[in-house]
Amino acid sequence: MANDTLTIKDNRTGKEYEVPIENDTIKAMDLRQIKVNDADFGMMSYDPGFKNTANTKSTITLVDGGNGILRYRGYPIEQLAESSTFLEVAYLILNGELPSKDAYEKWVYDITHHTIVHENIKDLMSAFRYDAHPMGMFISTVAALSTFYSDSGDIFNEEARDLNITRLIAKVPTIAAFSYRHLMGFPYKLPDNNLSYTGNFLSMMFKMAELRYEPNPALERALDVLFILHADHEQNCSTTTMRTIGSSQADPYSALAGAAGALYGPLHGGANEKVLRMLREIGDVKNVPDYVERAKKGEFRLMGFGHRVYKNYDPRAKFIKKVAEDVFEVTGRSPLIDIAVELERIALEDDYFVERKLYPNVDFYSGIIYEAMGFPVSIFPVLFAVPRTVGWLAQWQEMLADKEQPIARPRQVYLGEGERDYVAMDKR
Ligand code: CMC
């Protein structure tokens, strides 16, 4: 008998089944042959939250949670964060290889020359309430973009698909900045083509009456590094949403709006906002032990702690700690960093956190940096969505090319009532 198979014995019937093992997985559909009798539907696997279900084969990102490793297309995240730029990493994630000099220059040119949005987008955003949450504005406006491009649904036409990918990566910083300007009551600022991707983003965010905004190079680089660290993270909640919506062959704008909606939640990309609010609530280093005790009692979770996949220090969090120091040299030290460092120290020594392998994740320090750079807390999830747009699009593109991917449609275990007859209202 070949070794690369799994033998399953069904003790209800005494029957044995042999199913192939490929890449350390078995196909869930191979379980369907396991039946008690011919009328039986067949065995399914039950996996709420997909904790042990691979939904796709992918060649984009590797997260080795046990060893704290993250690689994009094989390149360690530390090397990319140290030596690359966000747009180079975006090219790598989307195309599989680092670009040649010519390809990189063309890519940067194309992105830079698609940053402007239609004037109607401004009108649309102006219609939001004065205190609308920036992430709500971002999600809705990205969805609305599909109505501006007649080729948005032409997803199997490579040229149209590439153009819409370029448009999305180029325009999300513009929409993100407009959502901030709307919140602040400031006029929207047009993109500046002489600046880098992150330099232009800072300009659209913070430019006031000056003729030209000059981004601080250290802050521009710090934001670029943060964007690299957030660009992709394989099959997380929002990426799975992108793939799920995309599997119905919806246009990328609608799928991306859905993915951003999934990111918004406090257990995912909304955590960075919650971390900052948590650190402010703790207020002082001396209150940290009491706060940790309350988290252990289950009163609340420590935001920015724990991860479904990492059962070791999140490599992004390690790098972000370094970025924080670079930023504080320009902005001055945030008092919240001392609370964060103390919280991390106490939690990492505590049995509760050690036993459950709960370490700081990417969101733990990113919010402190963003705040020091002048971003308001409510825009933090948007700052996650802008770079993650690249990962969502790369995963969506990969899914479209994958002949094994049908429309996403999970099964359920039905435990409701059996058939019963309708009862008229006066008889209930
Ligand atoms: N604080 C206190 N206890 C925690 C925490 C936390 N942050 N996270 C998990 N636990 C406990 C949890 O109560 C459970 O304990 P027990 O076994 O006694 O019931 C155990 O650890 C396992 O938790 P889980 O909910 O089964 O783990 P999960 O893999 O389903 O959840 C998580 C992962 C990220 C949703 C969770 O750790 C969490 O809620 N963290 C706080 C929110 C956060 O920081 N999210 C950002 C994630 S990283 C950014 C990104 O999404 O990409």
Side-chain angles (χ1 to χ4, degrees):
M1 199 198 339
N3 286 333
D4 48 0
T5 62
L6 180 74
T7 302
I8 303 170
K9 183 171 178 196
D10 184 347
N11 293 319
R12 298 171 303 175
T13 58
K15 274 200 212 160
E16 280 196 5
Y17 303 83
E18 195 181 337
V19 296
I21 299 174
E22 198 189 323
N23 302 313
D24 287 334
T25 61
I26 59 162
K27 288 202 167 84
M29 278 305 283
D30 283 342
L31 300 176
R32 192 68 75 72
Q33 59 184 309
I34 303 175
K35 296 181 178 191
V36 175
N37 54 49
D38 284 348
D40 189 355
F41 178 76
M43 181 80 73
M44 295 187 294
S45 59
Y46 175 61
D47 188 12
F50 313 118
K51 287 197 172 192
N52 198 38
T53 294
N55 175 44
T56 187
K57 294 171 184 162
S58 180
T59 59
I60 301 173
T61 294
L62 172 80
V63 178
D64 174 348
N67 294 306
I69 289 172
L70 169 60
R71 294 184 203 132
Y72 298 153
R73 302 285 191 182
Y75 294 100
I77 191 69
E78 295 82 1
Q79 288 183 27
L80 294 171
E82 197 73 63
S83 313
S84 189
T85 64
F86 173 68
L87 281 187
E88 188 184 38
V89 169
Y91 184 100
L92 169 71
I93 289 175
L94 282 158
N95 299 292
E97 296 296 337
L98 288 166
S100 65
K101 188 168 178 295
D102 286 352
Y104 178 66
E105 280 167 8
K106 180 177 184 310
W107 171 238
V108 173
Y109 180 91
D110 287 347
I111 294 292
T112 309
H113 289 79
H114 280 93
T115 45
I116 287 183
V117 290
H118 193 286
E119 279 295 292
N120 288 4
I121 287 284
K122 282 193 195 168
D123 298 341
L124 189 138
M125 294 191 77
S126 306
F128 284 107
R129 256 183 72 125
Y130 69 95
D131 61 350
H133 194 288
M135 192 64 169
M137 288 191 255
F138 180 84
I139 293 168
S140 318
T141 310
V142 166
L145 270 187
S146 78
T147 66
F148 288 79
Y149 303 110
S150 57
D151 60 359
S152 66
D154 213 357
I155 56 172
F156 293 110
N157 171 342
E158 197 180 332
E159 207 181 314
R161 196 172 60 234
D162 284 351
L163 180 58
N164 284 309
I165 288 175
T166 302
R167 283 178 178 142
L168 266 162
I169 295 171
K171 292 182 204 308
V172 284
T174 314
I175 295 170
F178 283 10
S179 71
Y180 164 76
R181 309 281 304 190
H182 181 83
L183 184 74
M184 304 302 286
F186 296 153
Y188 304 151
K189 292 288 177 192
L190 286 176
D192 180 344
N193 283 2
N194 293 310
L195 295 174
S196 71
Y197 189 79
T198 40
N200 171 52
F201 180 50
L202 289 169
S203 167
M204 289 188 293
M205 288 282 298
F206 299 125
K207 185 167 185 277
M208 296 307 285
E210 65 271 43
L211 225 45
R212 261 206 86 201
Y213 178 87
E214 297 285 351
N216 179 296
L219 299 186
E220 184 181 355
R221 176 62 193 157
L223 192 59
D224 211 62
V225 172
L226 284 164
F227 278 11
I228 291 172
L229 299 177
H230 283 87
D232 192 45
H233 212 237
E234 52 119 314
Q235 310 311 317
N236 51 76
C237 176
S238 56
T239 302
T240 301
T241 306
M242 181 84 194
R243 280 178 174 265
T244 301
I245 300 178
S247 77
S248 76
Q249 302 184 355
D251 70 81
Y253 301 92
S254 305
L256 206 129
L263 186 75
Y264 192 5
L267 298 189
H268 192 9
N272 52 14
E273 181 178 347
K274 300 283 177 221
V275 170
L276 212 92
R277 296 193 195 281
M278 173 186 78
L279 295 174
R280 281 186 189 153
E281 189 191 328
I282 296 173
D284 194 294
V285 170
K286 71 174 187 323
N287 301 330
V288 169
D290 180 50
Y291 199 83
V292 171
E293 283 309 311
R294 289 173 58 201
K296 281 162 60 181
K297 278 191 217 141
E299 277 185 43
F300 42 72
R301 290 188 167 201
L302 281 193
M303 284 294 139
F305 258 77
H307 198 275
R308 171 63 58 78
V309 183
Y310 290 119
K311 301 301 168 198
N312 202 322
Y313 212 102
D314 180 336
R316 300 169 299 173
K318 238 186 232 171
F319 209 90
I320 281 181
K321 243 174 137 176
K322 283 202 253 170
V323 177
E325 295 307 330
D326 297 343
V327 168
F328 295 157
E329 275 193 26
V330 179
T331 62
R333 199 173 163 80
S334 162
L336 297 181
I337 190 82
D338 297 326
I339 301 175
V341 168
E342 181 65 358
L343 190 60
E344 178 186 334
R345 189 188 67 76
I346 294 190
L348 292 187
E349 283 175 358
D350 193 294
D351 283 350
Y352 175 95
F353 293 89
V354 174
E355 277 162 18
R356 290 168 178 78
K357 297 194 167 76
L358 300 170
Y359 292 86
N361 58 49
V362 68
D363 292 316
F364 192 64
Y365 287 104
S366 61
I368 305 173
I369 302 177
Y370 289 143
E371 197 205 30
M373 289 175 77
F375 294 107
V377 176
S378 59
I379 205 167
F380 291 0
V382 179
L383 296 175
F384 197 153
V386 169
R388 186 54 62 85
T389 293
V390 167
W392 289 329
L393 290 168
Q395 301 271 350
W396 168 74
Q397 186 177 242
E398 185 178 64
M399 183 210 59
L400 290 179
D402 184 347
K403 299 280 174 276
E404 277 188 9
Q405 290 291 330
I407 186 168
R409 205 308 185 181
R411 293 281 177 171
Q412 65 170 2
V413 179
Y414 177 72
L415 298 176
E417 300 287 347
E419 185 181 351
R420 48 183 175 163
D421 289 328
Y422 178 78
V423 180
M425 201 173 276
D426 60 346
K427 303 259 161 42
R428 285 175 220 160

